[in-house]
Amino acid sequence: MNKGIIYYTKIRDEYEGCHMEHMIGEELLKTGLKQEYGLNLKYEPRAEGEHGKPFLSLRPSLHYNISHSGKYVLCILADQEVGIDVQVHKDVNYDKLLNRMVSENLKREILNSEDVKKAFFEQWVLREAYIKWTGEGLSRDMRTIPFNEGKRMLLQFKEGYSCAVWSMKPMEIRWEYADIILE
């Protein structure tokens, strides 16, 4: 069984609204690499794939992906290509966004579900995790994502959040909390 470790943190009150999520994600990556593999991120060169997905250029068997939303930042480390997405549930124009995200049939199904917000964000995180897994990013039409490719998992996270991971093979997931203080 392949393994993935998700390091996550709650953004400290003093960092809220300061647009520090990227720096916090980097610190999570640094923490995870040190704790899991004894590696120092400072000495790990990185490169970018065709669509800008970063990777550790000297560690082809070690993969990571970072996501943030609301009060949380997550970083997954895995032994295979992986994409992760987390989204806080908030009110959005579901109709408009669904037009760009899913088929007309699935759109109707989501809009008619008992919990529209939850159904919407589950689709959202699955699709975001897919495009982060493949490295295509938003260059991919979200309506064309093949749900029969790779393995996807909706994960239980915090109340009011949806979270998903996508990879080629099934993964056993472990969660690790890290309190991140930027210096």
Side-chain angles (χ1 to χ4, degrees):
M1 174 69 77
N2 296 71
K3 296 183 187 294
I5 304 108
I6 299 173
Y7 276 80
Y8 72 101
T9 194
K10 184 175 182 190
I11 297 171
R12 299 172 68 85
D13 290 343
E14 61 264 33
Y15 304 149
E16 262 190 67
C18 297
H19 306 288
M20 300 176 101
E21 296 87 353
H22 177 75
M23 286 183 275
I24 293 168
E26 287 289 304
E27 285 298 312
L28 278 176
L29 175 61
K30 180 179 168 184
T31 299
L33 287 174
K34 188 69 163 169
Q35 289 187 2
E36 300 300 323
Y37 305 99
L39 299 174
N40 187 332
L41 180 59
K42 185 164 71 173
Y43 302 112
E44 294 297 326
R46 287 188 268 182
E48 290 184 353
E50 181 183 347
H51 298 285
K53 183 178 182 179
F55 63 93
L56 301 171
S57 51
L58 297 180
R59 311 269 177 199
S61 63
L62 180 57
H63 304 273
Y64 72 94
N65 200 233
I66 298 171
S67 184
H68 59 83
S69 184
K71 295 182 176 285
Y72 291 93
V73 181
L74 286 68
C75 174
I76 188 168
L77 298 167
D79 54 5
Q80 61 178 311
E81 278 292 351
V82 66
I84 190 169
D85 192 52
V86 64
Q87 291 294 322
V88 64
H89 295 179
K90 57 188 174 198
D91 291 321
V92 296
N93 184 336
Y94 300 113
D95 192 57
K96 180 180 175 186
L97 289 172
L98 286 168
N99 284 334
R100 294 184 293 168
M101 196 170 90
V102 300
S103 68
E104 196 59 39
N105 287 343
L106 186 51
K107 174 184 168 182
R108 279 193 299 280
E109 185 180 315
I110 291 169
L111 292 175
N112 292 326
S113 68
E114 281 185 36
D115 188 342
V116 173
K117 193 179 286 187
K118 182 178 181 220
F120 171 82
F121 281 104
E122 283 181 355
Q123 281 297 315
W124 182 276
V125 295
L126 282 168
R127 291 164 193 280
E128 284 277 334
Y130 177 90
I131 62 176
K132 292 175 80 181
W133 168 54
T134 63
E136 294 170 289
L138 294 174
S139 67
R140 173 87 185 231
D141 182 341
M142 300 281 262
R143 293 170 294 192
T144 66
I145 290 174
F147 275 74
N148 61 347
E149 186 178 309
K151 299 295 178 191
R152 63 189 183 281
M153 290 181 283
L154 279 170
L155 304 175
Q156 295 296 316
F157 184 54
K158 302 288 182 183
E159 183 71 30
Y161 285 80
S162 289
C163 182
V165 168
W166 206 305
S167 57
M168 181 53 75
K169 299 174 190 156
M171 274 195 296
E172 182 181 300
I173 300 287
R174 187 178 93 227
W175 293 84
E176 293 289 336
Y177 183 81
D179 188 29
I180 299 298
I181 300 170
L182 300 174
E183 297 175 13

